[in-house]
Amino acid sequence: MKIGKTLLSLLVVISILAAFLTNTYAAGNDKLVLELRVGSTSAKVNGTESKVEKPYMVNNSAMVPLEWITTAVGAEVNKKDKVIEVIYGEMNAEITVGSAEYIYNTEKKKMPAAPVVKNKVTMVPLEFISASFPVTVTSDLKKGSIKIVLEDDGALSDLSFLTGGITSPKVGNSFYGWSLSIPSGSRIISNSFKSDKVGITNESRSLYFEIAVENKNGRKLSELYNDILYNSSVRSSKMDLAAAVPYFQYTRLSEYDESLRVKVFDKGDYFYYVTINCYDNSVTPEKLLTDKYYENIMNSFSLNYKGAVKGVEDISRVVQGKASFYNYVTLNLDAKYLPWSINVPAKWDKVLSNDDPMTTCLGLDSRHYMRITMNTLGDSGSLEEYADNIKEKYNKYFNARVYKFISDENATAAGAEARNLKFSIKQGDKVYIMDELYFTKGSFVYEITVKLPEGEYDKLIGQFKETIDQMDFYSVDEGKFESDFEKYTNKNVGIRVSQQDELFEYVNKTFSWSVKLPGYWTKSGAGDDSSVTFTEPDTNASVMVYATENSSLSRSLTDEEKFGIMKVLKKVYAATPVQSSVNEKGYQMRVYTYKVESADMDFFAAVTCYCFEAGDYSYCYISVVPDLTATDRTVNEVKDIWKTFMIKK
């Protein structure tokens, strides 16, 4: 239960799609061809000239430049002194300069020759490349020619995707039980960690296919159908509940004006979405529906595939009921780290999206999950002091009306000595057990919180802790990782309002308002000062001020239309406000009071919005107090801040 996270992301629901950009040549191509010559600095990448450190021969092995090859294929390289870690997809190799022995996915192996560094370039035997990457290597060492061909394009934004060319006329998923015929020349470009969402492209026919599997969670097919009709610009639609496998289908244009045909099947616990997307502008949605070619593809979809069928390429990533989740951390555009992975039950998923790259939530849903956060010890000198500080903050800042401490014990987790804090919290009319583990790996602290309903805790906690114990950890350049983490934190966490804890007056000159608040609150906001957020880092209580210039158009808008945060409260959190009006601070104000209770978003709080016009601007002042930290001190502190808010005339 990490107290120090800002609440802004929870309210505004900003999904940061931080795509990791690498300097690769392979991305977007069907095939990558690298050509080198022994004794020559001249090389080629897909026919384009490139300069390299000269390959040379040692013990009948060609020594080739590692960094040039890993850059071309899109692999990650982390260096620390003489140890070099190479990550590509599910491959993790650790080599040491000067030693022929190396580790490949925890298995010890040996190269024909030891890696060496020449002119700051790591040279490795060609055999290491062929053994570590999905490549075909051909060479004529008498003539000195080397060709490396990568058929599997792994250079994607997320290396956990299993991607590549498809060699069979059908693809299938033995865990979810589906198969689909696809055009020759297709390739997989995305595959989620448990293969419940797969993307396949065929550039020659301008086609993209997606097969997505979604747990029904008690919904009926007809309800889903009505939701889609209500929320989408559907061109045509049809539902057949009497079919052997009930389904509905519809056509529409995508946001890029590309033609889509979607068919949704209802079987067992799941809805199966099959999408054909054509980005050839001459193909209309109607043609996707009526043309025999596309009809045959859609009709080939089957829900009877169980695996081990000739002519079907099984792309399921579920093995013995478990799916491997690889946690890649991207803190900037220059580095990507793989610190840990974990095998989770296939029914689990990634839940509770957030904008913190150091935090991942995995579980059944927002009521049954574990949250894994990486942090540093900071000012704490030890893990014991770190956990003691957390416990002290909980007892100080948590609301005794909803929080009850249960136990503090020593334990083990993931093979490490750990501290185990356990407490309960009341959210709405439900009570949940929060079971937290703290342990260190290298220079990082792992905070793992398991959240379970009180009545299900004893039944399920064993499965969660067993899963945690099977975590795998990988060596990364910890010095660089720590440095990147510190830079990221300094950049993305709000800065203190003042170096002193006493009241500080913040003046927004652009939009003519001011407020006084304690200096330990932090500030963040838009670059143009149109929205500013202040947060108490220990309680996540927040104050937000939005301002927009009045115009002939804005005067006719409702407060919800004018201030997007109110629309988020309604649409995302399903919160309905109690409306009233007050004459305060010399202005007639419209007051909206929300009691936000969203188990799906794991967010429970009291939110108050004051909306009014003053001079050239419209304002929305918002206060947020989470239920968990709504002590008398916190509630009064937020009220006192509102009393100081003023419009500067």
Side-chain angles (χ1 to χ4, degrees):
M1 178 66 62
K2 193 174 181 182
I3 298 179
K5 290 176 67 67
T6 63
L7 204 61
L8 181 61
S9 61
L10 289 170
L11 285 173
V12 185
V13 195
I14 300 174
S15 297
I16 298 180
L17 302 178
F20 178 65
L21 304 178
T22 55
N23 179 26
T24 69
Y25 299 92
N29 297 327
D30 289 334
K31 183 185 293 186
L32 174 74
V33 180
L34 308 178
E35 298 174 83
L36 306 97
R37 295 190 69 82
V38 173
S40 174
T41 60
S42 179
K44 291 182 180 180
V45 180
N46 284 346
T48 301
E49 292 290 336
S50 178
K51 294 294 183 183
V52 297
E53 180 65 27
K54 295 178 184 178
Y56 60 95
M57 300 297 297
V58 172
N59 298 332
N60 295 320
S61 291
M63 302 293 286
V64 294
L66 175 66
E67 290 86 349
W68 181 80
I69 294 171
T70 54
T71 297
V73 302
E76 176 191 352
V77 176
N78 299 310
K79 297 182 180 180
K80 188 173 184 180
D81 298 325
K82 292 186 176 182
V83 178
I84 302 170
E85 183 186 46
V86 182
I87 302 170
Y88 185 86
E90 297 183 9
M91 182 276 289
N92 184 292
E94 190 175 281
I95 66 176
T96 303
V97 173
S99 173
E101 294 185 348
Y102 69 102
I103 297 174
Y104 181 92
N105 287 353
T106 71
E107 181 182 351
K108 289 185 178 180
K109 291 192 173 186
K110 191 171 184 179
M111 306 182 212
V116 299
V117 176
K118 291 190 65 176
N119 299 321
K120 298 183 179 180
V121 174
T122 310
M123 305 296 288
V124 297
L126 183 60
E127 289 84 350
F128 171 76
I129 301 299
S130 61
S132 303
F133 298 95
V135 296
T136 301
V137 176
T138 56
S139 60
D140 185 343
L141 298 183
K142 290 183 179 179
K143 296 181 180 179
S145 63
I146 300 169
K147 181 182 286 188
I148 302 171
V149 180
L150 176 71
E151 297 283 356
D152 172 15
D153 179 5
L156 295 171
S157 61
D158 186 343
L159 299 179
S160 69
F161 289 162
L162 179 62
T163 62
I166 300 168
T167 58
S168 301
K170 285 188 175 185
V171 291
N173 186 313
S174 56
F175 180 76
Y176 291 108
W178 62 261
S179 65
L180 177 73
S181 297
I182 53 173
S184 60
S186 298
R187 64 190 181 99
I188 301 171
I189 61 170
S190 64
N191 194 353
S192 63
F193 80 94
K194 62 176 188 175
S195 299
D196 58 343
K197 184 177 288 186
V198 179
I200 300 170
T201 189
N202 188 292
E203 287 93 344
S204 64
R205 294 184 178 273
S206 301
L207 291 174
Y208 171 76
F209 307 96
E210 184 177 271
I211 301 93
V213 184
E214 179 183 77
N215 197 298
K216 293 193 295 190
N217 290 324
R219 288 177 300 165
K220 295 181 179 179
L221 186 69
S222 56
E223 294 172 340
L224 180 63
Y225 178 63
N226 290 331
D227 286 344
I228 288 176
L229 290 184
Y230 178 76
N231 293 301
S232 301
S233 301
V234 173
R235 297 272 283 258
S236 64
S237 65
K238 173 187 176 183
M239 181 165 63
D240 188 349
L241 298 178
V245 179
Y247 71 89
F248 69 78
Q249 68 175 343
Y250 62 92
T251 61
R252 67 176 180 87
L253 289 174
S254 73
E255 57 269 36
Y256 305 108
D257 289 331
E258 297 169 351
S259 296
L260 291 175
R261 178 183 177 182
V262 183
K263 198 167 185 178
V264 184
F265 297 87
D266 178 352
K267 185 175 181 181
D269 294 331
Y270 302 106
F271 292 130
Y272 295 79
Y273 297 74
V274 185
T275 301
I276 301 178
N277 178 0
C278 185
Y279 43 94
D280 178 347
N281 291 334
S282 68
V283 177
T284 64
E286 289 71 27
K287 186 171 183 179
L288 284 182
L289 191 63
T290 59
D291 188 281
K292 194 67 176 174
Y293 178 78
Y294 306 115
E295 179 71 1
N296 286 340
I297 294 175
M298 186 62 83
N299 287 342
S300 74
F301 185 76
S302 169
L303 286 169
N304 297 312
Y305 176 65
K306 301 302 179 185
V309 175
K310 187 176 181 180
V312 181
E313 188 167 326
D314 191 348
I315 58 176
S316 172
R317 301 191 68 194
V318 177
V319 179
Q320 295 180 343
K322 296 288 185 74
S324 298
F325 179 84
Y326 289 81
N327 187 64
Y328 289 88
V329 178
T330 303
L331 297 172
N332 56 55
L333 297 180
D334 300 320
K336 188 173 188 176
Y337 304 94
L338 174 60
W340 58 267
S341 69
I342 192 168
N343 294 330
V344 301
K347 289 186 177 181
W348 288 16
D349 208 343
K350 195 172 179 182
V351 298
L352 293 175
S353 299
N354 66 82
D355 59 359
D356 181 1
M358 302 295 284
T359 297
T360 300
C361 287
L362 297 164
L364 287 168
D365 51 41
S366 60
R367 301 162 181 82
H368 311 74
Y369 68 78
M370 64 179 183
R371 180 174 58 242
I372 303 174
T373 297
M374 295 180 65
N375 205 347
T376 56
L377 284 173
D379 296 332
S380 302
S382 66
L383 177 66
E384 289 301 309
E385 184 180 349
Y386 184 91
D388 286 342
N389 290 338
I390 293 288
K391 180 180 175 182
E392 182 181 338
K393 285 187 174 182
Y394 287 175
N395 291 330
K396 179 179 180 180
Y397 295 110
F398 281 2
N399 177 7
R401 292 183 290 272
V402 299
Y403 161 75
K404 181 181 178 181
F405 184 77
I406 297 175
S407 63
D408 175 5
E409 299 176 342
N410 292 320
T412 59
E417 296 297 318
R419 276 280 289 278
N420 185 187
L421 305 181
K422 187 160 66 171
F423 55 93
S424 67
I425 59 173
K426 190 171 186 293
Q427 293 183 324
D429 60 351
K430 302 288 186 183
V431 175
Y432 296 89
I433 302 296
M434 312 298 290
D435 198 325
E436 299 192 335
L437 292 162
Y438 296 86
F439 60 90
T440 57
K441 287 287 183 180
S443 56
F444 283 92
V445 179
Y446 281 77
E447 308 175 7
I448 303 184
T449 299
V450 177
K451 177 183 179 180
L452 294 169
E454 186 178 43
E456 301 176 56
Y457 175 82
D458 291 338
K459 177 183 176 182
L460 296 177
I461 187 61
Q463 182 186 59
F464 277 85
K465 290 196 172 181
E466 180 183 345
T467 299
I468 293 167
D469 284 339
Q470 295 174 356
M471 286 181 71
D472 287 320
F473 301 90
Y474 303 94
S475 58
V476 297
D477 185 337
E478 289 198 345
K480 188 173 186 307
F481 195 3
E482 278 189 271
S483 176
D484 285 345
F485 173 64
E486 183 178 356
K487 291 175 184 176
Y488 175 87
T489 301
N490 291 338
K491 179 180 178 182
N492 290 276
V493 174
I495 59 174
R496 278 180 63 115
V497 171
S498 170
Q499 292 306 307
Q500 306 302 318
D501 287 349
E502 289 73 22
L503 283 181
F504 175 84
E505 183 178 25
Y506 172 84
V507 179
N508 187 309
K509 296 180 180 179
T510 307
F511 292 95
S512 306
W513 59 266
S514 68
V515 70
K516 293 180 182 179
L517 62 170
Y520 50 80
W521 282 57
T522 62
K523 169 189 171 292
S524 58
D528 63 357
D529 280 345
S530 61
S531 67
V532 180
T533 298
F534 302 99
T535 304
E536 211 284 40
D538 286 321
T539 66
N540 277 339
S542 293
V543 168
M544 309 174 193
V545 183
Y546 289 77
T548 182
E549 191 168 6
N550 292 326
S551 67
S552 56
L553 174 62
S554 68
R555 293 182 207 282
S556 64
L557 299 177
T558 65
D559 291 328
E560 184 180 296
E561 292 169 329
K562 198 178 296 184
F563 302 107
I565 186 70
M566 296 176 66
K567 188 177 293 185
V568 169
L569 288 168
K570 178 180 179 180
K571 291 190 175 297
V572 177
Y573 295 100
T576 302
V578 174
Q579 300 183 32
S580 61
S581 63
V582 296
N583 195 312
E584 200 166 337
K585 302 181 186 294
Y587 301 97
Q588 190 65 32
M589 299 186 178
R590 301 171 297 280
V591 184
Y592 302 85
T593 304
Y594 299 82
K595 181 60 178 174
V596 181
E597 294 188 341
S598 176
D600 289 339
M601 304 298 292
D602 200 17
F603 181 51
F604 295 77
V607 181
T608 304
C609 302
Y610 296 87
C611 299
F612 61 100
E613 288 73 37
D616 295 331
Y617 302 107
S618 292
Y619 298 90
C620 183
Y621 178 101
I622 304 170
S623 65
V624 182
V625 181
D627 290 357
L628 184 58
T629 54
T631 61
D632 292 342
R633 173 189 174 277
T634 299
V635 171
N636 290 331
E637 187 172 60
V638 171
K639 287 180 178 179
D640 289 342
I641 293 172
W642 164 241
K643 292 176 184 177
T644 71
F645 179 74
M646 292 179 59
I647 299 299
K648 297 285 189 179
K649 297 182 180 179

